[in-house]
Amino acid sequence: EAQVTQNPRYLITVTGKKLTVTCSQNMNHEYMSWYRQDPGLGLRQIYYSMNVEVTDKGDVPEGYKVSRKEKRNFPLILESPSPNQTSLYFCASRPRTGLNYGYTFGSGTRLTVV
Amino acid sequence: DAKTTQPNSMESNEEEPVHLPCNHSTISGTDYIHWYRQLPSQGPEYVIHGLTSNVNNRMASLAIAEDRKSSTLILHRATLRDAAVYYCILSTNAGGTSYGKLTFGQGTILTVHP
């Protein structure tokens, strides 16, 4: 089944403890992106990647890092999480071209930083 | 990014058609009109997209005004499973850093009554 898989689904952590949220897609998509969703603010793009080793900042990149060493994986790294990074995170991927190039989103990771 | 305007909420009855409007008066020639929906506790789901011509797929139809300043997502027979937040998004294919980027607004909350 074509899908974007995020892990973990739920995570509670403490301020300052480094964490990684993994994202993997099995559709050979070039494009991958991370979003966070907060009440009243909607979905905002954190980082995106147009292909392997090509990443760039989205609208709210502060406090986050990403890497794209392989086409299928796009992990989101929080080096020193803070409570304001408590949010619902979504990873998404899409092909660069094609008739149907809508994004496929993962099921989300709910992160709580205490 | 060009902005879209949608009603905050709409209601429909089951098995009736639903027309979800979207205004995008500042749309540029390279902007595609995308629709996504987000069911409760899930990631956004691609519904349909188009550039100038009306589009149909298994989920919905997209009617685009001749001047492209507005569009309508049509669900031909609403079901309870169609209750979701529907997002109308402009996404450029012009290249550069905004290529393929989705900027989500607040969307329209669709309620479907049995």
Side-chain angles (χ1 to χ4, degrees):
Chain A
E1 180 188 353
Q3 59 186 357
V4 174
T5 303
Q6 293 179 230
N7 280 297
R9 289 292 308 276
Y10 302 91
L11 178 61
I12 301 174
T13 190
V14 296
T15 299
K17 185 176 181 182
K18 180 180 179 180
L19 67 91
T20 299
V21 183
T22 64
C23 174
S24 181
Q25 50 95 3
N26 62 0
M27 297 165 282
N28 201 37
H29 286 171
E30 289 81 9
Y31 238 72
M32 296 187 76
S33 185
W34 276 102
Y35 286 83
R36 61 178 288 176
Q37 186 170 29
D38 302 289
L41 297 175
L43 282 132
R44 295 175 293 169
Q45 190 183 53
I46 304 170
Y47 266 95
Y48 65 96
S49 170
M50 296 177 73
N51 215 325
V52 176
E53 301 291 3
V54 181
T55 63
D56 211 341
K57 297 176 181 178
D59 297 319
V60 287
E62 295 78 20
Y64 304 95
K65 286 175 57 177
V66 292
S67 69
R68 188 90 183 273
K69 294 187 172 63
E70 308 164 279
K71 200 171 189 179
R72 63 184 293 126
N73 296 322
F74 190 44
L76 180 69
I77 303 155
L78 285 73
E79 294 271 3
S80 183
S82 63
N84 65 11
Q85 293 178 297
T86 293
S87 186
L88 179 58
Y89 292 86
F90 291 102
C91 180
S93 74
R94 58 161 274 191
R96 181 171 176 79
T97 59
L99 290 177
N100 177 6
Y101 50 78
Y103 275 97
T104 299
F105 281 79
S107 299
T109 295
R110 187 168 291 281
L111 173 65
T112 302
V113 184
V114 299
Chain B
D1 297 332
K3 291 189 67 174
T4 63
T5 304
Q6 300 176 251
N8 290 332
S9 62
M10 291 186 65
E11 296 186 20
S12 173
N13 294 318
E14 205 174 5
E15 298 192 4
E16 290 184 356
V18 181
H19 291 233
L20 296 163
C22 181
N23 288 319
H24 29 78
S25 58
T26 59
I27 190 171
S28 73
T30 56
D31 285 335
Y32 280 72
I33 302 158
H34 288 245
W35 283 83
Y36 284 75
R37 70 180 186 181
Q38 188 172 21
L39 280 66
S41 303
Q42 294 188 28
E45 175 187 26
Y46 166 79
V47 177
I48 200 167
H49 78 278
L51 182 63
T52 55
S53 303
N54 294 345
V55 184
N56 300 295
N57 66 20
R58 63 175 179 81
M59 291 182 69
S61 296
L62 176 60
I64 302 172
E66 198 168 330
D67 63 6
R68 301 212 320 131
K69 294 184 185 300
S70 65
S71 61
T72 302
L73 179 70
I74 302 165
L75 307 179
H76 295 285
R77 289 185 65 203
T79 69
L80 296 178
R81 293 181 58 189
D82 291 322
V85 180
Y86 286 79
Y87 298 98
C88 170
I89 302 164
L90 301 183
S91 184
T92 184
N93 272 21
T97 57
S98 294
Y99 179 86
K101 179 180 179 180
L102 301 177
T103 300
F104 287 81
Q106 296 303 311
T108 297
I109 300 171
L110 175 65
T111 302
V112 180
H113 299 289

